[in-house]
Amino acid sequence: PDGPAWAAEVGGDTPGLLTAAGTLASGDARPTLARWAAGQRWIATAGAVLVAHGCPADAPPAVIRGSHLAAGYAAGAAQAHATALGLRSRPIGSWQQADLGAALGETPGHDWIVHGLALAGPPTPTSNTTPAPIPSARPDHRQAPPAPPGKEERP
Protein backbone atom coordinates (compact mmCIF):
# COMPACT_ATOMS: atom_id res chain seq x y z
CA PRO A 1 0.00 0.00 0.00
CA ASP A 2 2.91 2.39 0.58
CA GLY A 3 4.77 1.29 -2.54
CA PRO A 4 4.86 2.88 -5.94
CA ALA A 5 1.86 3.32 -8.20
CA TRP A 6 1.50 1.28 -11.39
CA ALA A 7 0.62 2.23 -14.94
CA ALA A 8 0.49 0.27 -18.19
CA GLU A 9 1.61 1.66 -21.53
CA VAL A 10 -0.25 -0.24 -24.23
CA GLY A 11 0.28 -0.24 -27.96
CA GLY A 12 -2.18 -1.27 -30.61
CA ASP A 13 -4.88 0.82 -32.26
CA THR A 14 -5.40 3.12 -29.25
CA PRO A 15 -2.05 3.41 -27.45
CA GLY A 16 -1.93 5.12 -24.10
CA LEU A 17 -0.68 5.16 -20.54
CA LEU A 18 -3.37 3.63 -18.35
CA THR A 19 -3.97 3.23 -14.62
CA ALA A 20 -6.80 1.62 -12.68
CA ALA A 21 -8.24 5.14 -12.32
CA GLY A 22 -8.18 5.90 -16.05
CA THR A 23 -5.98 7.22 -18.83
CA LEU A 24 -2.88 9.22 -17.83
CA ALA A 25 -1.84 10.00 -21.40
CA SER A 26 -2.78 9.14 -24.96
CA GLY A 27 -0.29 8.07 -27.60
CA ASP A 28 2.55 5.60 -27.77
CA ALA A 29 5.12 6.17 -25.01
CA ARG A 30 6.89 2.85 -25.55
CA PRO A 31 9.74 4.47 -27.55
CA THR A 32 10.27 6.95 -24.70
CA LEU A 33 10.21 4.14 -22.14
CA ALA A 34 12.80 2.30 -24.25
CA ARG A 35 15.06 5.35 -24.22
CA TRP A 36 14.62 5.81 -20.45
CA ALA A 37 15.45 2.12 -19.86
CA ALA A 38 19.06 2.56 -20.95
CA GLY A 39 18.15 2.54 -24.65
CA GLN A 40 16.69 -0.98 -24.72
CA ARG A 41 15.01 -0.51 -28.11
CA TRP A 42 13.08 -3.79 -27.99
CA ILE A 43 10.79 -2.22 -25.35
CA ALA A 44 9.27 -0.01 -28.06
CA THR A 45 7.84 -3.16 -29.71
CA ALA A 46 6.40 -4.82 -26.59
CA GLY A 47 2.65 -5.36 -26.48
CA ALA A 48 2.46 -3.50 -23.17
CA VAL A 49 4.84 -2.17 -20.55
CA LEU A 50 3.91 -2.09 -16.87
CA VAL A 51 5.78 0.57 -14.91
CA ALA A 52 6.05 1.16 -11.18
CA HIS A 53 6.40 4.88 -10.52
CA GLY A 54 6.05 7.51 -7.86
CA CYS A 55 9.31 7.51 -5.96
CA PRO A 56 10.38 11.12 -5.31
CA ALA A 57 14.04 11.99 -5.82
CA ASP A 58 14.24 13.60 -2.39
CA ALA A 59 12.72 10.64 -0.50
CA PRO A 60 14.65 9.22 2.45
CA PRO A 61 16.87 6.24 1.55
CA ALA A 62 14.53 3.81 3.35
CA VAL A 63 11.58 4.96 1.20
CA ILE A 64 13.63 4.62 -2.00
CA ARG A 65 14.75 1.10 -1.01
CA GLY A 66 11.20 0.16 -0.06
CA SER A 67 9.81 1.48 -3.35
CA HIS A 68 12.35 -0.50 -5.36
CA LEU A 69 11.78 -3.69 -3.35
CA ALA A 70 7.98 -3.46 -3.49
CA ALA A 71 8.11 -2.79 -7.23
CA GLY A 72 10.45 -5.74 -7.78
CA TYR A 73 8.21 -8.12 -5.86
CA ALA A 74 5.11 -6.85 -7.67
CA ALA A 75 6.81 -7.19 -11.07
CA GLY A 76 7.73 -10.77 -10.14
CA ALA A 77 4.11 -11.54 -9.22
CA ALA A 78 2.88 -9.95 -12.46
CA GLN A 79 5.42 -11.97 -14.44
CA ALA A 80 4.22 -15.19 -12.78
CA HIS A 81 0.62 -14.35 -13.73
CA ALA A 82 1.65 -13.48 -17.29
CA THR A 83 3.46 -16.81 -17.59
CA ALA A 84 0.40 -18.65 -16.30
CA LEU A 85 -1.64 -16.92 -19.02
CA GLY A 86 0.88 -17.90 -21.70
CA LEU A 87 2.21 -14.36 -22.23
CA ARG A 88 5.90 -13.79 -22.74
CA SER A 89 7.32 -11.17 -20.36
CA ARG A 90 10.57 -9.71 -19.13
CA PRO A 91 11.43 -7.42 -16.19
CA ILE A 92 12.93 -4.05 -17.08
CA GLY A 93 15.53 -2.32 -14.97
CA SER A 94 18.20 0.29 -15.69
CA TRP A 95 15.81 3.25 -15.66
CA GLN A 96 17.71 6.46 -16.37
CA GLN A 97 16.19 9.94 -16.15
CA ALA A 98 12.75 8.28 -16.16
CA ASP A 99 10.79 11.15 -14.61
CA LEU A 100 7.25 10.19 -15.55
CA GLY A 101 5.71 13.09 -13.62
CA ALA A 102 7.80 15.69 -15.43
CA ALA A 103 6.95 14.07 -18.78
CA LEU A 104 3.27 14.43 -17.92
CA GLY A 105 3.65 18.10 -16.96
CA GLU A 106 3.89 17.65 -13.20
CA THR A 107 6.61 18.83 -10.82
CA PRO A 108 9.96 17.31 -11.85
CA GLY A 109 11.65 14.87 -9.49
CA HIS A 110 8.55 13.51 -7.75
CA ASP A 111 7.35 10.64 -9.95
CA TRP A 112 10.30 8.51 -11.04
CA ILE A 113 9.89 5.09 -12.66
CA VAL A 114 11.57 2.46 -10.49
CA HIS A 115 10.73 -0.84 -12.21
CA GLY A 116 8.95 -2.28 -15.20
CA LEU A 117 7.71 -5.41 -16.90
CA ALA A 118 7.36 -5.80 -20.66
CA LEU A 119 4.58 -8.05 -21.92
CA ALA A 120 4.16 -9.52 -25.37
CA GLY A 121 0.70 -9.19 -26.81
CA PRO A 122 -1.32 -12.39 -27.15
CA PRO A 123 -1.15 -13.97 -30.59
CA THR A 124 -4.21 -13.20 -32.67
CA PRO A 125 -5.53 -15.80 -35.11
CA THR A 126 -6.37 -13.15 -37.73
CA SER A 127 -3.00 -11.41 -37.59
CA ASN A 128 -0.62 -11.91 -40.51
CA THR A 129 2.29 -10.49 -38.56
CA THR A 130 4.38 -12.11 -35.87
CA PRO A 131 4.85 -9.98 -32.75
CA ALA A 132 8.37 -8.81 -32.10
CA PRO A 133 10.21 -11.10 -29.72
CA ILE A 134 10.88 -10.11 -26.14
CA PRO A 135 14.49 -11.03 -25.38
CA SER A 136 14.92 -13.68 -22.73
CA ALA A 137 15.90 -12.43 -19.30
CA ARG A 138 17.99 -15.54 -18.92
CA PRO A 139 21.39 -15.97 -20.53
CA ASP A 140 21.89 -18.70 -23.08
CA HIS A 141 22.10 -21.92 -21.06
CA ARG A 142 23.79 -24.11 -23.65
CA GLN A 143 26.37 -26.17 -21.90
CA ALA A 144 30.05 -25.77 -22.56
CA PRO A 145 31.89 -28.92 -23.61
CA PRO A 146 33.12 -30.94 -20.63
CA ALA A 147 36.62 -30.25 -19.40
CA PRO A 148 39.23 -32.97 -19.94
CA PRO A 149 39.79 -35.22 -16.90
CA GLY A 150 41.97 -33.56 -14.31
CA LYS A 151 41.10 -30.06 -15.63
CA GLU A 152 37.71 -29.63 -13.95
CA GLU A 153 37.00 -26.36 -12.29
CA ARG A 154 37.52 -26.59 -8.55
CA PRO A 155 35.75 -24.44 -5.92
Side-chain angles (χ1 to χ4, degrees):
D2 294 332
W6 284 86
E9 173 59 36
V10 296
D13 295 335
T14 55
L17 186 62
L18 313 172
T19 68
T23 302
L24 284 179
S26 297
D28 193 353
R30 292 173 302 162
T32 299
L33 294 174
R35 196 169 49 255
W36 284 348
Q40 298 178 69
R41 292 183 298 228
W42 62 269
I43 294 169
T45 63
V49 180
L50 303 177
V51 292
H53 64 96
C55 189
D58 59 356
V63 170
I64 293 171
R65 279 191 305 275
S67 291
H68 283 264
L69 286 171
Y73 286 130
Q79 186 172 28
H81 286 289
T83 299
L85 293 171
L87 294 173
R88 293 172 296 144
S89 61
R90 180 177 177 192
I92 305 169
S94 301
W95 294 99
Q96 301 171 347
Q97 304 302 315
D99 191 343
L100 184 60
L104 295 174
E106 298 172 13
T107 305
H110 287 92
D111 195 6
W112 291 96
I113 295 176
V114 295
H115 210 312
L117 181 70
L119 299 164
T124 57
T126 59
S127 174
N128 291 333
T129 61
T130 303
I134 290 183
S136 173
R138 294 183 173 172
D140 189 356
H141 288 294
R142 287 180 282 190
Q143 298 215 351
K151 302 290 183 186
E152 296 91 1
E153 192 173 310
R154 307 245 187 241

